[in-house]
């Protein structure tokens, strides 16, 4: 795992926020998906790129169409492709193809979280997972490749990049808690996370 603290300047964070807002607007807003067991997520999501990650009663998967609109997801902005490829080079993946970016928004609430999971819906499980944090800090938990492995906690702050690669590619991870008001990037606080994946 590679945790790059303060990788993005405030100006870059503002630019990333603007790109994320545009993507959400093109997609007709963000949605709060349902898990296969029928429970709702405690964060809202949208995607850009050739496919988007979706979740509903039928399971977790990548889809060419946004189920909310039945239209393709917003294209990946060239700026995001470039950022992801640059980060992938740092973990020796010069051929990395950021095919999709999942955008998660966690409202400034004690309820916002993401349960322990493994990113394993990609068809190709080798390329790294690249995550960028914006807005409020969160307590992030990361363990091993088995759900029951012990976990350690770290704080992800605005401007941090986290790359799960090599041995950590399939590590279980969770967003345990948002620390509301720790950043002023978003007017009403809250946390935004951008996760790049090469799916194929
Ligand atoms: C995710 O695991 O999909 C998102 C992680 C995060 O919000 O930091
Ligand atoms: Mn994940």
């Amino acid at each position: 795992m590679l945790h790059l603290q303060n990788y993005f300047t405030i100006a870059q964070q503002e630019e990333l926020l603007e790109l994320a807002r545009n993507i959400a607007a093109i997609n007709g807003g963000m949605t709060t998906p349902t898990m296969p067991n029928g429970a709702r997520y405690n964060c809202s999501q949208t995607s850009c790129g050739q496919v988007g990650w979706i979740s509903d009663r039928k399971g977790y998967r990548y889809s060419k169409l946004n189920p909310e609109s039945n239209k393709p997801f917003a294209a990946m902005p060239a700026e995001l492709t470039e950022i992801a490829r640059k980060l992938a080079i740092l973990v020796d993946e010069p051929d990395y193809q950021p095919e999709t970016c999942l955008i998660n928004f966690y409202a400034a609430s004690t309820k916002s979280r993401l349960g322990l999971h493994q990113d394993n819906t990609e068809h190709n499980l080798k390329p790294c997972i690249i995550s960028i944090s914006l807005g409020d800090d969160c307590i992030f938990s990361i363990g091993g490749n088995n759900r029951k492995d012990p976990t350690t906690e770290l704080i992800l702050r605005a401007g941090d990049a986290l790359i799960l690669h090599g041995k950590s590619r399939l590590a279980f991870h969770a967003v345990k808690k948002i620390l509301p008001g720790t950043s002023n990037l978003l007017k009403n606080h809250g946390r935004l996370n951008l996760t790049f994946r090469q799916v194929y």
Side-chain angles (χ1 to χ4, degrees), residues 102 104 114-115 117-119 129 140 164 171 173-174 195 197:
L102 172 67
N104 282 345
L114 189 64
H117 69 279
Q118 193 179 32
D119 287 10
I129 299 285
F140 186 82
L164 301 183
H173 55 280
T195 309
R197 286 95 183 258

Side-chain angles (χ1 to χ4, degrees), residues 18-146:
E18 195 53 36
L19 289 170
R21 280 198 174 125
N22 274 334
I23 290 162
I26 293 168
N27 289 342
M30 301 189 69
T31 53
T32 307
T34 303
M35 292 176 217
N37 69 7
R40 303 295 295 275
Y41 274 82
N42 292 304
C43 64
S44 53
Q45 305 185 328
T46 197
S47 286
C48 69
Q50 54 182 273
V51 288
W53 189 84
I54 63 167
S55 169
D56 58 21
R57 284 274 190 184
K58 287 188 244 158
Y60 307 120
R61 62 203 179 278
Y62 284 94
S63 168
K64 287 200 166 147
L65 296 180
N66 178 358
E68 299 302 315
S69 61
N70 263 327
K71 289 188 195 145
F73 288 94
M76 172 95 59
E79 296 93 324
L80 289 187
T81 305
E82 199 187 317
I83 285 168
R85 295 203 60 161
K86 225 167 137 182
L87 283 162
I89 289 168
L90 301 179
V91 293
D92 287 329
E93 295 191 24
D95 299 324
Y96 189 75
Q97 302 288 341
E99 289 158 344
T100 183
C101 177
L102 172 67
I103 302 171
N104 282 345
F105 173 68
Y106 305 82
S109 150
T110 50
K111 287 197 184 125
S112 296
R113 67 175 69 91
L114 189 64
L116 194 68
H117 69 279
Q118 193 179 32
D119 287 10
N120 60 10
T121 26
E122 295 68 41
H123 298 262
N124 181 355
L125 297 173
K126 287 258 179 304
C128 63
I129 299 285
I130 298 173
S131 140
I132 295 173
S133 293
L134 298 172
D136 284 339
D137 299 353
C138 81
I139 299 180
F140 186 82
S141 170
I142 182 145
N145 291 357
N146 296 302

